[in-house]
Amino acid sequence: MTFADPEDVWQSLQESLAEDWMALPVWARNLAFRLLCLQRPDAAEILGQAGSDLLSFGPDWDDFAEELLARSQELKKKEV
């Protein structure tokens, strides 16, 4: 995954989550979303989904999740 094309990581992640939302361990989800956010820092959809996903797994990451969601919303406003 580390050297995979971002589009391939995104597609694989979407397929996996659609099949069975809890199939991927939390560490793998976090790693995939982190790589995507680093490679696509201006992709509102990726940032928003990463933030929502983090909110699903405990309060430890809530601050990061809120930052990702806020950034996603800012980017969406610029798209309109």
Side-chain angles (χ1 to χ4, degrees):
M1 174 176 14
T2 304
F3 298 105
D5 186 39
E7 287 74 24
D8 292 339
V9 175
W10 179 244
Q11 181 179 358
S12 177
L13 188 58
Q14 294 305 300
E15 289 171 4
S16 176
L17 295 176
E19 243 179 70
D20 180 358
W21 189 76
M22 290 301 295
L24 281 176
V26 175
W27 67 266
R29 297 162 80 107
N30 287 352
L31 176 60
F33 277 118
R34 184 168 180 92
L35 286 171
L36 285 169
C37 289
L38 289 170
Q39 293 174 325
R40 299 288 187 261
D42 294 326
E45 184 179 6
I46 291 172
L47 296 174
Q49 190 169 345
S52 295
D53 199 70
L54 277 178
L55 285 174
S56 300
F57 293 102
D60 293 343
W61 299 310
D62 284 359
D63 291 342
F64 296 109
E66 294 298 335
E67 288 176 28
L68 289 168
L69 291 169
R71 176 76 176 131
S72 174
Q73 289 302 315
E74 287 175 29
L75 290 168
K76 286 179 182 177
K77 287 179 187 176
K78 290 180 184 179
E79 291 174 359
V80 175

